[in-house]
Structures are given as structure tokens and as C-alpha cells.
Amino acid sequence: SDSATFDESPYQESMDLVFVDGAHSYDYVKNDTEKGLNMLRPGGILAWHDCVPSHRDVVAYIEDSGLDAKLVNGTALAFCIK
């Protein structure tokens, strides 16, 4: 399904981990991150894939988001804790 139309509300604050790896446009990364954060319980982890310069919108959104995201050294992964 398309994450832009996915209704995350039934899963609000019920997830321990949400992995964002889909469309790489800024708007999709923003959408998927916001929905992922809504689904996470406090202390849950949101992880993003493709956090590399070749996917500049992924990197740009994470930088713009104000979230305390950390890169996993030697990978294309980043994460934050809710």
C-alpha cells in the first residue's frame, strides 16, 4: 500500500520499532517519519534506511526534523528514540 494513504491511527503508540524504507522524496520521508512516530510507544525506535548523500531528501528531512537522529557508523542507517 502507499504510505501516503496509510492510516496509522489503529497502531498509535503500540510499536517498539518502525523502519522507514520506501520512497526517497522529502515529502514521503516526512510523512513516513511522522506516521512512524505516531505509532511508536514512548522509548520506541524509529529507524531510517538510505541515509547517504545519494538520497539527499532522506538526509535533508532527518536534518530538518529536529529529531535527535544518530547515524549507525559504517551503514546507511540512522535512528532516533521517541
Side-chain angles (χ1 to χ4, degrees):
S1 104
D2 186 335
S3 61
T5 59
F6 174 72
D7 177 14
E8 81 283 3
S9 62
Y11 307 99
Q12 189 168 355
E13 294 192 348
S14 67
M15 301 289 168
D16 294 319
L17 172 70
V18 172
F19 188 71
V20 175
D21 182 25
H24 296 100
S25 73
Y26 190 98
D27 290 337
Y28 266 95
V29 177
K30 180 178 190 288
N31 170 74
D32 296 353
T33 299
E34 290 174 353
K35 288 182 177 184
L37 288 170
N38 287 337
M39 291 187 290
L40 282 177
R41 65 168 178 78
I45 297 171
L46 185 109
W48 299 270
H49 188 240
D50 297 325
C51 299
V52 292
S54 60
H55 293 293
R56 64 180 177 264
D57 282 356
V58 175
V59 174
Y61 176 74
I62 293 169
E63 289 175 348
D64 292 348
S65 72
L67 296 168
D68 187 22
K70 309 280 192 240
L71 288 172
V72 179
N73 194 27
T75 74
L77 299 173
F79 72 95
C80 71
I81 299 172
K82 182 174 178 182

